[in-house]
Amino acid sequence: MKQVLSAEAAMAHAIECARLGLGKTFPNPIVGAVITTATGELISEGFHQGGDHAEVIALNAAKEIPAGSILYVTLEPCNHHGKTPPCVDAIIKSGIKKVLYAVADPNPAAAGGAERLRAAGIEVQSGIGEEGASLVNRAWLTKMELGRPHITWKIASTMDGKVAASDGSSKWITGELARTDVAQMRSQVDAIVTSTSTVIADDPLMTSKGFGKDPVRIVMGTSEIKAGAQIFNDSAETVLVKSRNLKELITLANERGFNQLLIESGPTFGTALLREDLVDEIVLFQAPTLFGSGKPAVGDLGITNISGRIDFEISDVEMFGSDLKITLIKSANGTEGGR
């Protein structure tokens, strides 16, 4: 029996397809596409992973496209010639007469796909699944809005907010399942950023541990790192930024076209990013343990009154073994500390 999808379910499936492209598409967005018959039977699917766009992959995967077939895509089909020809050309040529997309393309160079499709006699609808599609593609959308990559700070702490005991020891606060999830997170970003002090203290490898591609490793700071440090192995490219100027990090990321940076460092570097309003998201792993004393996860932000607080919204809560994973996204309103 063939799978039959409602419009909402078809777009939700396209969003899950898009998620598979995380870490594989920069400087371009992640996009998922699904084709169904007029009655909702699934024909094919595709996701962008650095080559052909999702729509083209889905079209090529379809053995046939019956009359009345519908294309669902998480981002408005592009109308420009970049690495590949415009997606609208392939859609028009396919004979599809109805396209539903979730998010309008904010890139001026690629926008106008919907108008082009309508001009070709194709019915086009927008907005279905917009919230979910925007969330999964938030890294690229942040880059389009702010002119810099989406920055996520990963923290592993105790329940009382400590990232190290008073003697400096911190391995391991969280359990193996949480650390495995971090490895998977690394495979979905474009670059990991850490500090020279973290490398000197922990000698981290910072790879995906075989769960996917290994992102570029960026090390910031002025302290000298020993030549034999693990972060210099051949698992991935390592870039040294011998500066504490965060503008140099943003410049490098923009030059490379990165959509998303994952910060894996101690509280000094993370706090500096917070003070400069450069943290869009925090992924907090909390272990069910207490230190009482020790190093806090966040340093002094210069906030003296509650009105200056920096607010985040809880996006997701998960359990990994006995550890809690809380995903927090920067609140867009309500405080002086907000963007």
Side-chain angles (χ1 to χ4, degrees), residues 100-259:
L100 282 74
Y101 68 88
V103 178
D105 195 329
N107 184 359
E115 293 179 9
R116 172 90 182 281
L117 292 173
R118 289 191 181 101
I122 297 173
E123 179 185 352
V124 180
Q125 296 180 18
S126 64
I128 183 171
E130 182 175 9
E131 183 176 354
S134 296
L135 181 65
V136 76
N137 201 21
R138 61 190 178 277
W140 182 79
L141 291 172
T142 295
K143 187 172 74 170
M144 288 295 101
E145 178 187 357
L146 301 180
R148 62 161 176 82
H150 185 92
I151 299 176
T152 299
W153 183 19
K154 187 272 295 181
I155 302 173
S157 81
T158 63
M159 292 300 289
D160 55 345
K162 301 297 190 296
V163 295
S166 56
D167 67 353
S169 59
S170 61
K171 283 190 174 182
W172 295 100
I173 290 176
T174 55
E176 185 175 348
L177 290 177
R179 299 197 300 274
T180 296
D181 188 63
V182 171
Q184 291 178 319
M185 285 174 57
R186 290 171 182 159
S187 73
Q188 297 176 337
V189 302
D190 307 320
I192 299 171
V193 184
T194 191
S195 63
T196 53
S197 59
T198 296
V199 172
I200 292 167
D202 299 337
D203 192 22
L205 188 57
M206 292 192 174
T207 67
S208 69
K209 298 181 180 179
F211 286 100
K213 76 166 189 65
D214 292 318
V216 175
R217 299 171 294 198
I218 301 172
V219 183
M220 284 200 72
T222 56
S223 300
E224 290 298 319
I225 303 171
K226 62 183 181 182
Q230 290 195 99
I231 206 154
F232 291 132
N233 74 2
D234 58 5
S235 295
E237 178 189 0
T238 298
V239 179
L240 295 179
V241 180
K242 293 188 175 183
S243 171
R244 294 176 181 171
N245 188 338
L246 296 174
K247 290 181 180 179
E248 293 188 30
L249 172 63
I250 301 304
T251 297
L252 169 65
N254 286 342
E255 288 175 349
R256 296 291 294 265
F258 295 146
N259 293 339

Side-chain angles (χ1 to χ4, degrees), residues 32-73:
V34 165
I35 299 174
T36 73
T37 64
T39 55
E41 292 180 355
L42 181 63
I43 295 174
S44 63
E45 61 193 51
F47 67 96
H48 179 46
Q49 47 190 311
D52 287 339
H53 289 189
E55 303 95 314
V56 173
I57 293 172
L59 289 169
N60 290 340
K63 293 181 180 178
E64 63 174 331
I65 300 178
S69 293
I70 305 169
L71 170 65
Y72 297 85
V73 61

